[in-house]
Every structure is written in C-alpha cells, then in structure tokens.
Amino acid sequence: MKVTYPAMGNTGIAIKALLKGLKLEVVPPPPITRNTIALGVKYAPEFACMPLKINVGNFIEALDRGADTIVMAGGWGPCRFGYYAQVEREILRDLGYDFKMVILEAPDFKLSELFSQLRALAENVSFIEAVRAVKFAWHKLRTVEIVERKREYFLPRVKDKEEAEKLYTRCLEALDRANNKEEVDKAWPEYMAELERLERHDEEILKIGLLGEIYTVLEPASNYNIVSHLGRLNVEVTRNIYASSWVNDHLLGGMLLKSDHKHIIKCAYPYLKYWVGGHGQESVGSAVDFARKGYDGVIQIGPLTCMPEIVAQSILHEVKAREGIPCMTLYFDEHAADAGIATRLEAFVDMLKRQKQRERKMVKERII
Amino acid sequence: MKKVGIPQGLFYYYYYPLWEAFFRFLGLVVVRSSPTNKKIVDDGVTLAVDEACFPIKVYYGHVNELKGKGVDYIFLPRLVSIEPKSYICPKFMGLPDMIRAGIKDLPEVIDITVDLSRGDKGWQKELARLGKILNVNYRQIKKAYNYALEEYFSYRMIARQGYTRDEAIKVWQGEEISLPLDTPLHIGVLGHGYSLYDDFISMSVIKKLRGMGVKVYLSEHLPTEGIEKEASTLPKRVFWTLGRKMVGSALYMDKSPDIDGIIYVACFGCGPDSLIGEVIERKVKKPFMLLTLDEHTGEGGIITRLEAFCDMLARRKKRDEGYLPCYG
Ligand code: SF4
Ligand code: SF4
C-alpha cells in the first residue's frame, strides 16, 4: 500500500510523520506547481472551489508516481468540503485510475472514531505504536508552527528578506527529515537563531491580521504566498488559523491548548449570530478581535465562490465601520494574476501606512 | 393592523403559503415585495457583495423594496435546516445578519431560526420567541402554526398536480390556472426553486419550454419515495436538502421511460450546484444540459440553447420511434 494525502501548507510535514509512524509507505503529493493546478482545473468541476481543484491535481500527480491509496478527510456539511472526497473519487475513477480512497470522517468529529479509522488504515500497528505516531505528528506540527510564527515576526523586520526566506525554507526541510522527537528538537533552533541575528532595518512595521478560509490561509500556493509577500513589504502578519489550533478546537474539544475559540465566537456574535460552515463566523470574530488588539488592518482571503467567506465578507464592512479597522478581501482562483494581487496588496499597505502617519500626527498635535 | 413584509425571493417559493397563513391567522397583514423586476435586481446587485450568488443578490433587492412599503416587521427567517442531518446552504445560515449589515434602517426584523437538523426541540423555542416579538401568547402561536401547516399541505398537493411552485401559490390563492396539455416532448427540469420559479432569474425557462411544445416535469411532480430511493443509491448521503432532491430527481427521471431529456438550471457562483451538477452529469445517461444563469445572461443565448436541445431530442425521438416497429 502506497499512501498519499492532499497538500495543505506545512501540515504535510506532520501528516507524513503520522502515516510513516503507522508504518505506511508514503508518496507525498509533489509540491504544487502551475501544472498541478492546471490538472485540477482541467478535470474538476468548473465552478468548484479552489481547494478541490488543487486536491485533484495533487492526487493525479501522486497516483502517477505510484500511490495507490488516498487518505482524505470528509464531513457532514453544510459546506462543500464534506462532499469533496465523493466528487474527487468519481473524477479519478472516470480518468481510469485504480486506487483506494480512505475517507476519515467521524460523525460529529469524535476523536475516538477518527483514531479507530486511522488504525484500520494501518493493520499491523499496535495501539501503543499508533498513539506514538499521533503524538509525534502533533509534536512536529507544533514545532513547525513555532518556526512559522518566527518567520512571520522576523521577515518584516530584517533587511535581507531573501536570506530570511531561505533560512525558513531550510528549517522546514530539516524538520521534515527529522525522524524522532530529539531530531526535531535539534533541527530548528540553529536556523532560527541565525534568522534572529540577521540585520534589522528601522522602518515602520505594520501589523495585519490574516483571516479567512482555512485551506487558503494555510496553503501558500493557493494564496499567492501572501505571508511572504506582505513580509517583504515590512508587514508582520498574524494568521487567525494555525493547523494545531484547528485540531485542538475541532477534534480535541480544546483539550490540549488554551483556546480562544469561544472568545472569537463571542466577538462575532453582535455581527453574525450563527455558524455558517467553514470559518465564516471565525473570520468575522477574528476581524473584531484584531481590531480591538490594535492591528492596523485585516485581510480576508478565500477561494472565489467560498460560501462561508462570502457571508463573512458581506458583514465585514459593518465590522470595519463599527470597530474602525480597514479590511480588504481577496479571492483566489486559477485566473488570479500575480501582478494584480501584488498591486492590490501594495495599495492596501500604502493606505494603512498613510493612515497610521495621519493618526500619529493628530495625536502629536493634540499633545502639543 | 400591523403589517409584515415578506420578500418574494429564496424560500418564498417553498413556504409562502405557510408563512402567509400563519401571519394572517394572527391578524397581521402580509405585504409581499413585487415579483422580481429589473429595479429589484439592480438594487440587489448594488447592495450585495459582488461575489454573492444571483438569488442572494436578488433577495437583497426584495428586502430593499419592502423597506419602502411601510411595514412594521420584515420576515427574514434563518433557514438552517428543514429536516434531520441536512442543511440548505451556508449562506442561508447567515442571511439575516448579511441583510442587516447590508441594508440600513430596516423595520423590526423577524429572524427566527429554523433548525430541524437535530429534531424540533429548538423549533418550539423559536416559536415562543416569535410569540414574544409579535406579542401573542404561545397557544395562539401554536394554533396559527397548525392552521398554517394545513394550508401548506394543501398548497403542496396543488404543486404536485403538474404546476410550477409559483403557479401553485397562485392556485392556492384562488386563481384559476389550467394545467398545460400533454405534448410529445417531455423534459425534466431541475434547479433550486428560487431560481427556477422566479421568471426573472430563470428567464422563464419553464414557460419558454412549454412554448416550444414541451411538457415539463419538475421534482414536485415525482413521487417523494422514488426520489429518495434514487438519492440513497449514492455512496454518501448528500447533506444539502435541495441538492439531494435534485440528484434523486435526476436519477429518477433518467429511469422514467416517458422523459426524453434533463435540464439543470444552475446559478453562477452557487456552491452546492457546482458539485451536485457534476454528480448528476456523471450519472445521468439521457441527454443532459446544464444552464448556468447570472445577471449577465442574455435571453437570446438561452433561447438558442433550449431550441437546440429540443431539436436534438425531437430528432432522437423520431429516430428511435422509427426504429421501434422493426423490432417490435
Ligand atoms: S469553506 Fe469555502 S473552500 Fe471550503 S468547501 Fe466551503 S466553499 Fe469550498
Ligand atoms: S444554494 Fe447556491 S444559489 Fe442558493 S444561496 Fe446557496 S450558493 Fe446561493
């Protein structure tokens, strides 16, 4: 059995560790390229949301490299994601691929159910080994996120952006190679120390909250690598979604990490009183939260036609007016042109900078 | 007498008789927005975000029109789920909040939540809340609701006889509409009721087909058990109520010998349609056409496509019937 899975940013590092820990042979999806997306666009329904298209591209490339089993997540609505695997399986079968699809979906996301589905996948693994695999994957995920946060903090502040990005990429590669907890713990500090030592500039740093649909927030190939792009514009990005907090909130009921999920929903409530699938309510809540924490602006991102994000977007201008925070929405699809997005990001950042200077001037004048 | 405004969009086509009877029983006057027209569409397009699907944009336009009609309340229910373990669409779950953020100075909004996904306990509570908003006691509310249900069932019986839902609403209100006569060509037409039966959104697809000598079959005309049985043949239950009905209807129509072809009327930007359309297209063996509509769709193009489809079906039919005697 050769197993593959859908790419979603750096979560692949943890998923790979998990599947390997379950003694499965893993064929990771090759890095997402133009070709991956072109394949997805060609074979997926025209109006499907982007993650489905990229999934299809990932799967075709992995199957062509010898994978024979696909592990995919499922769900029970209300959004499209819960039906992704069904449509993807039909598409790939009609293309003539012979494979097995294992869909992890537990009614109401019960962790115990998911765990037994995982174990069913790995036949010759003991309970202890399975627990160990899960724990190790979790450790990797958490470590990856430490590194991601450091990059989000330092990239805007250092002079040599190229070097910073290089260190970040190399660090992730080292984490990916690490085979046990000790190796993981040894792998990253050096790179990050080097990142911290890079020379800083003293220009203004803006803070932007990045929120939206989970796949788009986590997968750089689906968001025009927005964190990197903003970092190069001296913007420190804080995401509202990290994979581990999603696992913690949705699979573990907030068991492992201190969770601010309740707080975020509370923030959303005056504006959006109901969950709307995906991360729609979280997007509204986080925008309010970022505003109250004094961020300079928020950017909402998602795939074009994303239903929960359209609900959130329809409400964000109200948040903008009442909480006084600039908001911009960017949707991505296969037609999104790099240049157009770069221009919009730069214009937004310029606007925030001017606004900040204006406010500062006003404060000063009042003091004088 | 207090007035309650009901927008003539989205679930209007499914539930208007229920709502109207309910409010009427309680002594309120029901005011509808006009049938969708150009102004409503233009206003909706301006008020809603660009990325919203067409029916949602149109709904904004309806609410906006009602705002100017001097109503005391405006009825904007949050339809989460109308049966166990199913949903309508994420957008319905946020609709009252979207409207509130998009249209200022609304009259008091009745935004009761309908969520029957886990049984109807919560529903009783919402009815009680509705009583508070309208200042009516719970017993009255229950009575009104039971009365409304009866009216609703009689409306559904009407719809079943071969009418479209908008015709059925008119018949239920006492208008006389004769059923279309049988014609040689039979086409099954699928789509969300709020686009299919809204003549502006669908550009009267059904009427156009009838005009071309087609007998139109709709989900409403098929036996419920038949639809459900077909829908349950999928490896995974479709968790959107309308989507499931459409898949079930498509498969049922695919098997019915007296239906010649199937047309699926989808909305541009609709999430569920993008997947359900795909599932249906891959399963159906009969001639199938997907019509995707939005505010830029031109009427001429639609007519051409419908005519081409009908011609093709007619030719096939002639050919098949021509062959039949040889074998029979
Ligand atoms: S949340 Fe957005 S991207 Fe995810 S399935 Fe729903 S519509 Fe698609
Ligand atoms: S089901 Fe489709 S058309 Fe209806 S509201 Fe949702 S996205 Fe819009």
Side-chain angles (χ1 to χ4, degrees), chain A residues 49-51 79-82 84 213 277-279 303 305-309:
Chain A
C49 33
M50 245 347 232
C79 212
R80 280 183 268 193
F81 181 72
Y84 266 24
E213 186 275 328
H279 281 75
T305 75
C306 177
M307 300 186 275
E309 295 307 324

Side-chain angles (χ1 to χ4, degrees), chain B residues 270-297:
Chain B
C270 170
D273 274 348
S274 70
L275 299 191
I276 295 303
E278 179 81 6
V279 171
I280 293 179
E281 200 161 359
R282 281 176 191 271
K283 299 245 177 242
V284 161
K285 292 178 207 79
K286 280 188 183 158
F288 176 83
M289 182 166 77
L290 184 75
L291 271 187
T292 305
L293 304 173
D294 69 5
E295 60 263 41
H296 311 298
T297 310

Side-chain angles (χ1 to χ4, degrees), chain A residues 3-5 14-26 71 118 121-122 133 137:
Chain A
V3 188
T4 191
Y5 53 87
I15 297 173
K16 206 202 283 176
L18 173 66
L19 296 174
K20 278 191 178 160
L22 296 172
K23 299 192 184 152
L24 295 164
E25 198 179 329
V26 185
V71 182
L118 263 185
L121 184 68

Side-chain angles (χ1 to χ4, degrees), chain A residues 307, chain B residues 53 55-56 88-89 91-92 192 194 267 269-272:
Chain A
M307 300 186 275
Chain B
C53 52
I56 293 277
I88 311 289
C89 165
K91 288 180 197 161
F92 278 78
H192 290 153
Y194 43 82
C267 278
C270 170

